[in-house]
Amino acid sequence: MTGNRSTATRLTLAAMGKMRRTGLVLLGMMAVAAIHAQDARLLIAQGDSLLAADKAQKAMEKFNAAVKEAPTADSYAARARGTYYMGKYDKSLLDMDAALKIDSLHPQANYQRALYAFRTDDNAATVQYCTRALDHGAKAALRQHLLVLRGEAEAALTDNAKAIADLKEGLGDRLEDLPALKTLARLYDATGDNAASLSVLETLCAAA
């Protein structure tokens, strides 16, 4: 009886030891993954800075390195930004879809997918992707861009009330998006709000 208890104890201790070793291995793997993700975020930030400076090829080197370092939704979405900027739309679409396969609610990837849809006149899909991003964490400047893009797509679908609401909120006081301002003026005119249309047209004249 005592022997059986000793054997059971040894087995239990061995199992506990194995569980602890497995736990340590998992913790180590998580730590390594976190380091890779941090490195990838740095590469993405560097790539975005280069892209803003119109150095697309150098930006792509950073984005490619980010994907290699950590193939996350953030990394794929970043590389999609680069290829879209360079006009390589089919390659960009592949990375957008890769990002969305990892995280279907990823705000930036959904925005880029919406841009692609709008470019191909798929306005219903544009609204769908924009709405998904807006409902799942899009903030600050990205939120404004999403609202404007959704408003443009809604205008194309003649959903005028929603288009006006989105364009107004997305544009705010910004004057640099002249096409969106023109769309808003046209929508006001189409709905009989001549005063609002004239106000936007005056803003356009001032910005010209």
mmCIF file of all heavy atoms in Angstrom, residues 73-74 76-78 80-81 92 95-101 103-116 129 132-133 142 146:
data_model
loop_
_atom_site.group_PDB
_atom_site.id
_atom_site.type_symbol
_atom_site.label_atom_id
_atom_site.label_comp_id
_atom_site.label_asym_id
_atom_site.label_seq_id
_atom_site.Cartn_x
_atom_site.Cartn_y
_atom_site.Cartn_z
ATOM 1 N N ALA A 73 -1.454 41.201 -38.277
ATOM 2 C CA ALA A 73 -2.374 42.035 -39.059
ATOM 3 C C ALA A 73 -1.795 43.438 -39.240
ATOM 4 O O ALA A 73 -1.923 44.035 -40.318
ATOM 5 C CB ALA A 73 -3.729 42.099 -38.363
ATOM 6 N N ASP A 74 -1.157 43.957 -38.211
ATOM 7 C CA ASP A 74 -0.531 45.285 -38.312
ATOM 8 C C ASP A 74 0.536 45.314 -39.405
ATOM 9 O O ASP A 74 0.613 46.269 -40.190
ATOM 10 C CB ASP A 74 0.119 45.678 -36.976
ATOM 11 C CG ASP A 74 -0.889 46.097 -35.926
ATOM 12 O OD1 ASP A 74 -2.040 46.406 -36.300
ATOM 13 O OD2 ASP A 74 -0.531 46.126 -34.742
ATOM 14 N N TYR A 76 0.950 43.230 -42.050
ATOM 15 C CA TYR A 76 0.385 43.073 -43.390
ATOM 16 C C TYR A 76 -0.352 44.340 -43.834
ATOM 17 O O TYR A 76 -0.270 44.742 -44.998
ATOM 18 C CB TYR A 76 -0.557 41.870 -43.442
ATOM 19 C CG TYR A 76 0.157 40.538 -43.536
ATOM 20 C CD1 TYR A 76 0.083 39.603 -42.514
ATOM 21 C CD2 TYR A 76 0.904 40.225 -44.676
ATOM 22 C CE1 TYR A 76 0.746 38.384 -42.603
ATOM 23 C CE2 TYR A 76 1.570 39.008 -44.777
ATOM 24 C CZ TYR A 76 1.482 38.094 -43.739
ATOM 25 O OH TYR A 76 2.145 36.886 -43.847
ATOM 26 N N ALA A 77 -1.059 44.966 -42.895
ATOM 27 C CA ALA A 77 -1.770 46.208 -43.232
ATOM 28 C C ALA A 77 -0.778 47.310 -43.598
ATOM 29 O O ALA A 77 -1.028 48.115 -44.503
ATOM 30 C CB ALA A 77 -2.645 46.653 -42.064
ATOM 31 N N ALA A 78 0.342 47.343 -42.915
ATOM 32 C CA ALA A 78 1.369 48.345 -43.220
ATOM 33 C C ALA A 78 1.926 48.128 -44.615
ATOM 34 O O ALA A 78 2.071 49.088 -45.393
ATOM 35 C CB ALA A 78 2.491 48.273 -42.186
ATOM 36 N N ALA A 80 0.467 46.639 -47.035
ATOM 37 C CA ALA A 80 -0.613 46.976 -47.975
ATOM 38 C C ALA A 80 -0.677 48.480 -48.228
ATOM 39 O O ALA A 80 -0.943 48.913 -49.352
ATOM 40 C CB ALA A 80 -1.952 46.468 -47.437
ATOM 41 N N ARG A 81 -0.434 49.277 -47.184
ATOM 42 C CA ARG A 81 -0.401 50.742 -47.357
ATOM 43 C C ARG A 81 0.669 51.132 -48.367
ATOM 44 O O ARG A 81 0.463 51.991 -49.223
ATOM 45 C CB ARG A 81 -0.105 51.444 -46.027
ATOM 46 C CG ARG A 81 -1.263 51.579 -45.106
ATOM 47 C CD ARG A 81 -1.017 52.634 -44.027
ATOM 48 N NE ARG A 81 0.074 52.321 -43.133
ATOM 49 C CZ ARG A 81 -0.001 51.496 -42.103
ATOM 50 N NH1 ARG A 81 -1.123 50.838 -41.867
ATOM 51 N NH2 ARG A 81 1.034 51.295 -41.310
ATOM 52 N N SER A 92 -1.369 44.899 -53.043
ATOM 53 C CA SER A 92 -1.931 45.496 -51.835
ATOM 54 C C SER A 92 -3.131 44.695 -51.346
ATOM 55 O O SER A 92 -3.280 44.436 -50.146
ATOM 56 C CB SER A 92 -2.348 46.947 -52.115
ATOM 57 O OG SER A 92 -2.845 47.557 -50.954
ATOM 58 N N ASP A 95 -2.231 41.608 -49.315
ATOM 59 C CA ASP A 95 -1.845 41.882 -47.928
ATOM 60 C C ASP A 95 -3.040 42.342 -47.090
ATOM 61 O O ASP A 95 -3.119 42.034 -45.892
ATOM 62 C CB ASP A 95 -0.731 42.926 -47.886
ATOM 63 C CG ASP A 95 0.644 42.319 -48.113
ATOM 64 O OD1 ASP A 95 0.802 41.112 -47.892
ATOM 65 O OD2 ASP A 95 1.563 43.055 -48.516
ATOM 66 N N MET A 96 -3.965 43.068 -47.700
ATOM 67 C CA MET A 96 -5.186 43.449 -46.975
ATOM 68 C C MET A 96 -5.929 42.198 -46.532
ATOM 69 O O MET A 96 -6.359 42.083 -45.373
ATOM 70 C CB MET A 96 -6.117 44.270 -47.878
ATOM 71 C CG MET A 96 -5.629 45.617 -48.303
ATOM 72 S SD MET A 96 -6.810 46.320 -49.502
ATOM 73 C CE MET A 96 -5.738 47.450 -50.391
ATOM 74 N N ASP A 97 -6.087 41.271 -47.464
ATOM 75 C CA ASP A 97 -6.816 40.037 -47.151
ATOM 76 C C ASP A 97 -6.068 39.194 -46.113
ATOM 77 O O ASP A 97 -6.689 38.543 -45.268
ATOM 78 C CB ASP A 97 -7.052 39.224 -48.424
ATOM 79 C CG ASP A 97 -8.097 39.865 -49.332
ATOM 80 O OD1 ASP A 97 -8.842 40.740 -48.851
ATOM 81 O OD2 ASP A 97 -8.160 39.494 -50.518
ATOM 82 N N ALA A 98 -4.725 39.208 -46.180
ATOM 83 C CA ALA A 98 -3.933 38.478 -45.181
ATOM 84 C C ALA A 98 -4.154 39.079 -43.793
ATOM 85 O O ALA A 98 -4.298 38.361 -42.802
ATOM 86 C CB ALA A 98 -2.455 38.528 -45.549
ATOM 87 N N ALA A 99 -4.180 40.410 -43.729
ATOM 88 C CA ALA A 99 -4.412 41.082 -42.443
ATOM 89 C C ALA A 99 -5.804 40.768 -41.904
ATOM 90 O O ALA A 99 -5.970 40.470 -40.715
ATOM 91 C CB ALA A 99 -4.240 42.591 -42.613
ATOM 92 N N LEU A 100 -6.796 40.801 -42.786
ATOM 93 C CA LEU A 100 -8.177 40.555 -42.352
ATOM 94 C C LEU A 100 -8.403 39.085 -41.992
ATOM 95 O O LEU A 100 -9.278 38.775 -41.188
ATOM 96 C CB LEU A 100 -9.148 40.995 -43.440
ATOM 97 C CG LEU A 100 -9.225 42.512 -43.658
ATOM 98 C CD1 LEU A 100 -10.060 42.837 -44.888
ATOM 99 C CD2 LEU A 100 -9.793 43.207 -42.434
ATOM 100 N N LYS A 101 -7.611 38.193 -42.586
ATOM 101 C CA LYS A 101 -7.711 36.780 -42.215
ATOM 102 C C LYS A 101 -7.228 36.568 -40.783
ATOM 103 O O LYS A 101 -7.762 35.734 -40.049
ATOM 104 C CB LYS A 101 -6.882 35.933 -43.188
ATOM 105 C CG LYS A 101 -7.067 34.434 -43.008
ATOM 106 C CD LYS A 101 -6.327 33.647 -44.078
ATOM 107 C CE LYS A 101 -6.537 32.159 -43.917
ATOM 108 N NZ LYS A 101 -5.811 31.380 -44.963
ATOM 109 N N ASP A 103 -7.152 39.142 -38.452
ATOM 110 C CA ASP A 103 -8.038 39.935 -37.592
ATOM 111 C C ASP A 103 -9.067 40.621 -38.478
ATOM 112 O O ASP A 103 -8.794 41.669 -39.071
ATOM 113 C CB ASP A 103 -7.223 40.966 -36.811
ATOM 114 C CG ASP A 103 -8.091 41.822 -35.895
ATOM 115 O OD1 ASP A 103 -9.312 41.593 -35.850
ATOM 116 O OD2 ASP A 103 -7.540 42.728 -35.238
ATOM 117 N N SER A 104 -10.261 40.044 -38.571
ATOM 118 C CA SER A 104 -11.287 40.564 -39.477
ATOM 119 C C SER A 104 -11.797 41.941 -39.067
ATOM 120 O O SER A 104 -12.424 42.630 -39.875
ATOM 121 C CB SER A 104 -12.468 39.588 -39.551
ATOM 122 O OG SER A 104 -13.094 39.478 -38.280
ATOM 123 N N LEU A 105 -11.518 42.347 -37.822
ATOM 124 C CA LEU A 105 -11.997 43.642 -37.326
ATOM 125 C C LEU A 105 -10.897 44.708 -37.316
ATOM 126 O O LEU A 105 -11.119 45.810 -36.813
ATOM 127 C CB LEU A 105 -12.571 43.480 -35.913
ATOM 128 C CG LEU A 105 -13.693 42.446 -35.755
ATOM 129 C CD1 LEU A 105 -14.158 42.384 -34.306
ATOM 130 C CD2 LEU A 105 -14.863 42.753 -36.675
ATOM 131 N N HIS A 106 -9.746 44.397 -37.863
ATOM 132 C CA HIS A 106 -8.610 45.322 -37.841
ATOM 133 C C HIS A 106 -8.997 46.625 -38.541
ATOM 134 O O HIS A 106 -9.297 46.640 -39.747
ATOM 135 C CB HIS A 106 -7.426 44.684 -38.557
ATOM 136 C CG HIS A 106 -6.134 45.380 -38.337
ATOM 137 N ND1 HIS A 106 -5.722 46.460 -39.092
ATOM 138 C CD2 HIS A 106 -5.149 45.174 -37.425
ATOM 139 C CE1 HIS A 106 -4.539 46.873 -38.679
ATOM 140 N NE2 HIS A 106 -4.173 46.108 -37.667
ATOM 141 N N PRO A 107 -9.026 47.767 -37.812
ATOM 142 C CA PRO A 107 -9.521 49.022 -38.397
ATOM 143 C C PRO A 107 -8.760 49.478 -39.638
ATOM 144 O O PRO A 107 -9.367 49.842 -40.647
ATOM 145 C CB PRO A 107 -9.370 50.029 -37.238
ATOM 146 C CG PRO A 107 -9.423 49.202 -36.008
ATOM 147 C CD PRO A 107 -8.734 47.929 -36.374
ATOM 148 N N GLN A 108 -7.428 49.462 -39.575
ATOM 149 C CA GLN A 108 -6.635 49.949 -40.701
ATOM 150 C C GLN A 108 -6.803 49.055 -41.930
ATOM 151 O O GLN A 108 -6.945 49.544 -43.059
ATOM 152 C CB GLN A 108 -5.162 50.025 -40.306
ATOM 153 C CG GLN A 108 -4.246 50.540 -41.404
ATOM 154 C CD GLN A 108 -4.470 51.994 -41.751
ATOM 155 O OE1 GLN A 108 -4.662 52.811 -40.866
ATOM 156 N NE2 GLN A 108 -4.448 52.326 -43.026
ATOM 157 N N ALA A 109 -6.812 47.746 -41.728
ATOM 158 C CA ALA A 109 -6.980 46.820 -42.847
ATOM 159 C C ALA A 109 -8.358 46.972 -43.480
ATOM 160 O O ALA A 109 -8.508 46.921 -44.705
ATOM 161 C CB ALA A 109 -6.755 45.381 -42.385
ATOM 162 N N ASN A 110 -9.370 47.192 -42.652
ATOM 163 C CA ASN A 110 -10.713 47.409 -43.184
ATOM 164 C C ASN A 110 -10.795 48.720 -43.952
ATOM 165 O O ASN A 110 -11.470 48.802 -44.987
ATOM 166 C CB ASN A 110 -11.750 47.387 -42.053
ATOM 167 C CG ASN A 110 -12.224 45.981 -41.725
ATOM 168 O OD1 ASN A 110 -13.001 45.387 -42.466
ATOM 169 N ND2 ASN A 110 -11.744 45.445 -40.616
ATOM 170 N N TYR A 111 -10.107 49.743 -43.472
ATOM 171 C CA TYR A 111 -10.080 51.018 -44.199
ATOM 172 C C TYR A 111 -9.431 50.837 -45.564
ATOM 173 O O TYR A 111 -9.944 51.322 -46.587
ATOM 174 C CB TYR A 111 -9.327 52.065 -43.384
ATOM 175 C CG TYR A 111 -9.053 53.342 -44.140
ATOM 176 C CD1 TYR A 111 -10.105 54.116 -44.638
ATOM 177 C CD2 TYR A 111 -7.751 53.790 -44.358
ATOM 178 C CE1 TYR A 111 -9.863 55.293 -45.334
ATOM 179 C CE2 TYR A 111 -7.502 54.964 -45.050
ATOM 180 C CZ TYR A 111 -8.567 55.710 -45.531
ATOM 181 O OH TYR A 111 -8.321 56.880 -46.239
ATOM 182 N N GLN A 112 -8.316 50.143 -45.589
ATOM 183 C CA GLN A 112 -7.630 49.933 -46.866
ATOM 184 C C GLN A 112 -8.467 49.074 -47.815
ATOM 185 O O GLN A 112 -8.502 49.329 -49.025
ATOM 186 C CB GLN A 112 -6.258 49.295 -46.608
ATOM 187 C CG GLN A 112 -5.292 50.265 -45.950
ATOM 188 C CD GLN A 112 -4.055 49.592 -45.414
ATOM 189 O OE1 GLN A 112 -3.524 49.960 -44.392
ATOM 190 N NE2 GLN A 112 -3.582 48.578 -46.107
ATOM 191 N N ARG A 113 -9.163 48.103 -47.246
ATOM 192 C CA ARG A 113 -10.049 47.283 -48.082
ATOM 193 C C ARG A 113 -11.204 48.125 -48.624
ATOM 194 O O ARG A 113 -11.662 47.923 -49.768
ATOM 195 C CB ARG A 113 -10.569 46.101 -47.256
ATOM 196 C CG ARG A 113 -11.289 45.043 -48.083
ATOM 197 C CD ARG A 113 -10.353 44.396 -49.071
ATOM 198 N NE ARG A 113 -11.048 43.431 -49.922
ATOM 199 C CZ ARG A 113 -11.778 43.754 -50.989
ATOM 200 N NH1 ARG A 113 -11.904 45.027 -51.356
ATOM 201 N NH2 ARG A 113 -12.374 42.830 -51.705
ATOM 202 N N ALA A 114 -11.671 49.064 -47.817
ATOM 203 C CA ALA A 114 -12.732 49.969 -48.271
ATOM 204 C C ALA A 114 -12.231 50.877 -49.390
ATOM 205 O O ALA A 114 -12.954 51.144 -50.362
ATOM 206 C CB ALA A 114 -13.231 50.808 -47.094
ATOM 207 N N LEU A 115 -10.998 51.360 -49.268
ATOM 208 C CA LEU A 115 -10.408 52.181 -50.326
ATOM 209 C C LEU A 115 -10.361 51.414 -51.643
ATOM 210 O O LEU A 115 -10.684 51.964 -52.708
ATOM 211 C CB LEU A 115 -8.987 52.614 -49.938
ATOM 212 C CG LEU A 115 -8.827 53.800 -49.005
ATOM 213 C CD1 LEU A 115 -7.345 53.969 -48.651
ATOM 214 C CD2 LEU A 115 -9.361 55.083 -49.634
ATOM 215 N N TYR A 116 -9.942 50.164 -51.562
ATOM 216 C CA TYR A 116 -9.857 49.332 -52.757
ATOM 217 C C TYR A 116 -11.245 49.141 -53.358
ATOM 218 O O TYR A 116 -11.419 49.228 -54.580
ATOM 219 C CB TYR A 116 -9.225 47.982 -52.412
ATOM 220 C CG TYR A 116 -8.979 47.099 -53.612
ATOM 221 C CD1 TYR A 116 -7.758 47.135 -54.277
ATOM 222 C CD2 TYR A 116 -9.972 46.236 -54.085
ATOM 223 C CE1 TYR A 116 -7.525 46.326 -55.388
ATOM 224 C CE2 TYR A 116 -9.752 45.432 -55.193
ATOM 225 C CZ TYR A 116 -8.523 45.485 -55.838
ATOM 226 O OH TYR A 116 -8.306 44.695 -56.940
ATOM 227 N N TYR A 129 -17.059 47.815 -45.230
ATOM 228 C CA TYR A 129 -15.738 47.810 -44.599
ATOM 229 C C TYR A 129 -15.534 49.037 -43.710
ATOM 230 O O TYR A 129 -14.946 48.934 -42.621
ATOM 231 C CB TYR A 129 -14.637 47.733 -45.657
ATOM 232 C CG TYR A 129 -14.512 46.384 -46.307
ATOM 233 C CD1 TYR A 129 -14.804 46.208 -47.658
ATOM 234 C CD2 TYR A 129 -14.105 45.271 -45.580
ATOM 235 C CE1 TYR A 129 -14.688 44.963 -48.264
ATOM 236 C CE2 TYR A 129 -14.004 44.021 -46.172
ATOM 237 C CZ TYR A 129 -14.296 43.869 -47.517
ATOM 238 O OH TYR A 129 -14.187 42.631 -48.104
ATOM 239 N N ARG A 132 -17.489 48.516 -40.471
ATOM 240 C CA ARG A 132 -16.823 47.547 -39.591
ATOM 241 C C ARG A 132 -15.669 48.206 -38.839
ATOM 242 O O ARG A 132 -15.506 48.007 -37.638
ATOM 243 C CB ARG A 132 -16.312 46.360 -40.403
ATOM 244 C CG ARG A 132 -15.754 45.231 -39.539
ATOM 245 C CD ARG A 132 -15.108 44.158 -40.396
ATOM 246 N NE ARG A 132 -16.072 43.474 -41.229
ATOM 247 C CZ ARG A 132 -15.744 42.644 -42.215
ATOM 248 N NH1 ARG A 132 -14.459 42.430 -42.508
ATOM 249 N NH2 ARG A 132 -16.659 42.034 -42.921
ATOM 250 N N ALA A 133 -14.888 49.005 -39.550
ATOM 251 C CA ALA A 133 -13.761 49.683 -38.903
ATOM 252 C C ALA A 133 -14.242 50.712 -37.892
ATOM 253 O O ALA A 133 -13.691 50.824 -36.788
ATOM 254 C CB ALA A 133 -12.879 50.345 -39.953
ATOM 255 N N LEU A 142 -7.939 58.368 -38.479
ATOM 256 C CA LEU A 142 -8.469 57.232 -39.228
ATOM 257 C C LEU A 142 -9.993 57.265 -39.226
ATOM 258 O O LEU A 142 -10.629 57.011 -40.262
ATOM 259 C CB LEU A 142 -7.967 55.919 -38.640
ATOM 260 C CG LEU A 142 -8.486 54.637 -39.316
ATOM 261 C CD1 LEU A 142 -8.144 54.622 -40.801
ATOM 262 C CD2 LEU A 142 -7.934 53.397 -38.621
ATOM 263 N N LEU A 146 -12.429 57.437 -42.510
ATOM 264 C CA LEU A 146 -13.454 56.420 -42.722
ATOM 265 C C LEU A 146 -14.828 57.046 -42.924
ATOM 266 O O LEU A 146 -15.597 56.624 -43.800
ATOM 267 C CB LEU A 146 -13.492 55.462 -41.531
ATOM 268 C CG LEU A 146 -12.391 54.409 -41.480
ATOM 269 C CD1 LEU A 146 -12.216 53.869 -40.065
ATOM 270 C CD2 LEU A 146 -12.699 53.261 -42.446
#
